């Protein structure tokens, strides 16, 4: 691990309960597979969505093209994935 990263590790904590929670969460993931639940959330269409936006996102969904997925594969998980010290859950859970 690079020396410059060590001070930042003090901000993160894992106890046995958090470890179990994360391991249980990992069981729900299948690498490289985008679930229907996630697709519904990502391509959610509401009354403010224009027809052009709706057609574009439906086309992406049919072709299996997910712009956000390519960026996550390149850059890794979002910063909120890791819970800071004193936080009960990562920021994405709140």
């Amino acid at each position: 691990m690079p020396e410059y990263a060590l001070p930042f590790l003090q901000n993160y904590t894992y106890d046995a309960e958090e470890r179990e929670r994360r391991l249980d969460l990992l069981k729900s993931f299948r690498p490289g597979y985008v679930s229907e639940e996630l697709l519904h959330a990502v391509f959610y269409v509401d009354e403010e969505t224009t027809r052009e936006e709706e057609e574009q996102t439906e086309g992406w969904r049919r072709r299996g093209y997910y712009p956000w997925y390519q960026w996550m594969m390149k850059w890794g998980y979002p910063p909120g994935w890791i819970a800071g010290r004193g936080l009960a859950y990562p920021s994405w859970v709140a």
Side-chain angles (χ1 to χ4, degrees), residues 15-88:
D15 57 11
E17 184 179 328
E18 177 66 7
R19 181 178 183 277
E20 283 301 312
R21 188 186 71 78
R22 288 183 181 222
L23 289 174
D24 288 341
L25 181 62
L26 285 174
K27 291 176 188 174
S28 68
F29 294 117
R30 288 182 34 208
Y33 175 77
V34 180
S35 70
E36 282 298 317
E37 182 181 11
L38 180 58
L39 287 176
H40 179 72
V42 170
F43 293 120
Y44 177 75
V45 176
D46 62 13
E47 59 275 351
E48 295 179 14
T49 305
T50 66
R51 181 156 178 82
E52 293 80 20
E53 290 171 329
E54 187 176 348
E55 289 173 358
Q56 179 184 39
T57 57
E58 183 56 33
W60 286 349
R61 183 180 179 147
R62 278 195 311 269
R63 290 192 315 270
Y65 174 71
Y66 319 120
W68 49 270
Y69 191 63
Q70 277 74 26
W71 284 109
M72 195 168 86
M73 287 189 303
K74 180 176 181 177
W75 296 105
Y77 288 109
W81 177 258
I82 299 173
R85 181 172 296 202
L87 296 175

